[in-house]
Each structure stands twice: as structure tokens, then as C-alpha cells.
Amino acid sequence: MGNSLKAIVAFVPSNKCQKYLLEDLEEMPVDKMVDLSGRQMRRLPVHICSFRELVKLYLSDNNLNHLPPELEQLQNLQILALDFNNFKALPLVVCTLKQLCILYLGNNKLCSLPLELRLLQNLKTLWIESNCLQYLPEVVCELSLLKTLHAGSNALRTLPPQLQCLQELRTIWLSGNLLSEFPPVLLDMPFVEVIDVDRNSIRFFPSLAHLPGLKLVIYDHNPCRNAPKVAKGVRRVGRWSEETPEPRKRSGAVIEIPLDEKPLVPPAAKTEPE
């Protein structure tokens, strides 16, 4: 069945058309996973919501901008992928899925997140990259079990001080934003292991040597005049990363050190809950 035909059928509410869209998927899959990615859907087939034991639902790369209220029936859902769609606001029904561990919202048109997101207290991984966020919604700071936050490719200029309340946070990706200074709140988060501020506008880096948990800092493609100082064993990716924190000088001129190898980007594959 072609994608164009699927997109048309998705508008038809009859049970017959809905089952046709699902390609005769009438029973709960053995692996408790449904992947409807890349089908040009504009509506989620309501029949999916009858699979009450469903654990993973992938709806990436469609044309969705809303979700049916029946989605609330999926109370065992742990992974929900809504990236690469047309959401301008996160449907509140998502916030009723209290077992969610991983939520993919990247590459949409989100300008904010609802306060109801705080209900997802089992959330460990949140991807909100490539949206229209000019600030990091403070409600994110209420997700106490959050370990990974990917907020790259937005328009963030700073981070809220409340972020330091996320004591389980280990990885934060902030590449491709509008940061003009290194976020001060990160200096008070000794448990963070990976910080990515690649492709921002940071001109000076404070010392990060006091952060005992830090393992990797990516600061490439910033107009910085220094590299961040780090503790022994911490990997740096950026200008002068293999040198001392200050660039070498010769006759008053700054000699640029060749860039380190390209850093590993956040994994494209969908991850599993821990």
C-alpha cells in the first residue's frame, strides 16, 4: 500500500479503513510494539488504543498534529516516539501515560511544554531537539528521574537555575542553540557526565575541573578564546582540546591546534528504558 493512499485512508474513521491502514494488525503484537513511522498519517488509527498492554509505540515521521483521547488507555506504554511530525503543542493525553520512560518530541514545532508534563514522573529520557523553544520550560526541571535531555537545535539563550534539581541527570545535549555564555547552572551539577554545547556563541569557558562526574564536554564551533579546564581523565572535544586549556602562542600569534575527531552525536536509534 502506497504512502499516499495510507494518508487518505487515515482520515476515514470506519473500522474497516482503520484496520486497512494497520495492514490487518488486529491483535496485540507479541513484542508489545507497534511501529507506524513514515506512513504520512494525519490521524492515529484509534484501533491502536485497544492494545492496552502496548509498551512501545513509534509514530515518527508522519503528519500528526493531534492525538485521540483514547490514547489514555495505553497505561503500560514506556516508549512513545512523536518526532518528525507537525505538533505545535504537546497533546495533553500524552501526559496521562504515567509509565513513560522515553519520550521523543524532536523535529516538531513546539514553542513550549504543558505543565501537565510534570505528571510523567517515570520519564528518564526526553528528546525535544529541533523545535521552536526560546527557553527551556521549567516543567522539565520537575522530572526527577530524568537522566538524558536532548534540547539541541532550538533557540535557547540560557537554562533555568531549577535545572540543578535534576540530580539524576547525566547527559545534556545543547548543541545548535543561542547560548552566549556557558550556562551557570551546569557549574552546580557535579553529577552530570556529558555536556554538549557545540555550535553556540560562547566566547569564554569557566573551569569545569570541580565537576567530579564529568566525563566528556563538547564545546566545538564556539567563538571561544579558551578551552574549559577539566579534571584529569575528562575528554574535551573542541579547539585546543588536546593541549593545555590555553592555546599555544608564538610571537604573539595564536596557533590553532587541529580539531579533534568528530564527536559522537546522540544515537539516532531509539533507545530502550533502563
Side-chain angles (χ1 to χ4, degrees):
M1 178 170 39
N3 283 341
S4 297
L5 180 57
K6 290 178 182 177
I8 295 174
V9 172
F11 279 107
V12 183
S14 72
N15 289 335
K16 184 177 181 180
C17 288
Q18 294 291 295
K19 291 181 179 180
Y20 181 62
L21 183 67
L22 296 175
E23 298 178 352
D24 297 323
L25 182 61
E26 298 184 16
E27 298 181 357
M28 163 70 68
V30 176
D31 59 3
K32 299 182 180 180
M33 178 186 77
V34 169
D35 188 349
L36 295 176
S37 300
R39 302 201 182 196
Q40 299 185 18
M41 293 189 305
R42 296 179 183 273
R43 293 180 57 226
L44 174 65
V46 177
H47 181 61
I48 289 295
C49 302
S50 67
F51 299 159
R52 300 196 177 193
E53 299 302 314
L54 200 66
V55 173
K56 307 171 188 176
L57 178 58
Y58 297 98
L59 302 174
S60 307
D61 194 17
N62 281 293
N63 293 309
L64 300 172
N65 57 28
H66 70 282
L67 295 172
E70 291 84 354
L71 191 73
E72 185 177 4
Q73 299 174 28
L74 302 182
Q75 285 300 311
N76 291 295
L77 206 63
Q78 295 181 28
I79 301 177
L80 177 60
L82 299 175
D83 46 331
F84 292 94
N85 276 285
N86 292 318
F87 291 103
K88 293 183 179 180
L90 178 65
L92 292 183
V93 67
V94 172
C95 301
T96 68
L97 306 175
K98 297 183 180 180
Q99 297 304 313
L100 277 184
C101 296
I102 302 177
L103 179 58
Y104 295 96
L105 299 175
N107 290 273
N108 278 285
K109 301 174 182 177
L110 301 174
C111 294
S112 63
L113 294 173
L115 293 177
E116 289 81 357
L117 189 73
R118 62 165 64 107
L119 299 175
L120 302 182
Q121 284 300 308
N122 285 307
L123 205 63
K124 294 181 179 180
T125 299
L126 177 62
W127 288 54
I128 50 176
E129 80 286 2
S130 299
N131 275 286
C132 304
L133 298 170
Q134 296 185 13
Y135 61 93
L136 183 67
E138 291 184 8
V139 67
V140 172
C141 304
E142 298 185 44
L143 303 174
S144 60
L145 296 183
L146 198 66
K147 289 188 174 182
T148 299
L149 175 61
H150 188 350
S153 299
N154 280 285
L156 305 181
R157 296 180 181 275
T158 186
L159 297 179
Q162 295 90 332
L163 194 70
Q164 65 179 305
C165 295
L166 297 182
Q167 297 192 15
E168 296 298 320
L169 193 66
R170 297 295 180 267
T171 303
I172 182 165
W173 305 90
L174 298 167
S175 61
N177 276 287
L178 300 176
L179 300 173
S180 59
E181 67 173 347
F182 187 83
V185 66
L186 296 181
L187 299 176
D188 296 321
M189 300 178 70
F191 35 81
V192 172
E193 298 178 356
V194 177
I195 298 174
D196 177 13
V197 289
D198 183 29
R199 300 183 186 280
N200 277 276
S201 300
I202 301 173
R203 294 185 174 276
F204 174 79
F205 280 95
S207 174
L208 307 180
H210 66 289
L211 300 178
L214 193 62
K215 297 179 180 178
L216 169 65
V217 56
I218 304 171
Y219 63 95
D220 210 3
H221 303 99
N222 279 280
C224 55
R225 297 181 178 275
N226 71 314
K229 295 181 180 180
V230 294
K232 184 177 181 181
V234 177
R235 185 185 176 202
R236 299 180 300 182
V237 177
R239 298 178 70 192
W240 318 299
S241 60
E242 299 304 324
E243 299 294 316
T244 59
E246 300 300 327
R248 292 183 303 179
K249 295 183 179 181
R250 181 183 302 165
S251 302
V254 174
I255 307 299
E256 292 190 6
I257 306 301
L259 297 179
D260 193 6
E261 65 268 25
K262 185 64 179 175
L264 294 175
V265 297
K270 308 301 185 191
T271 56
E272 302 293 329
E274 297 184 358

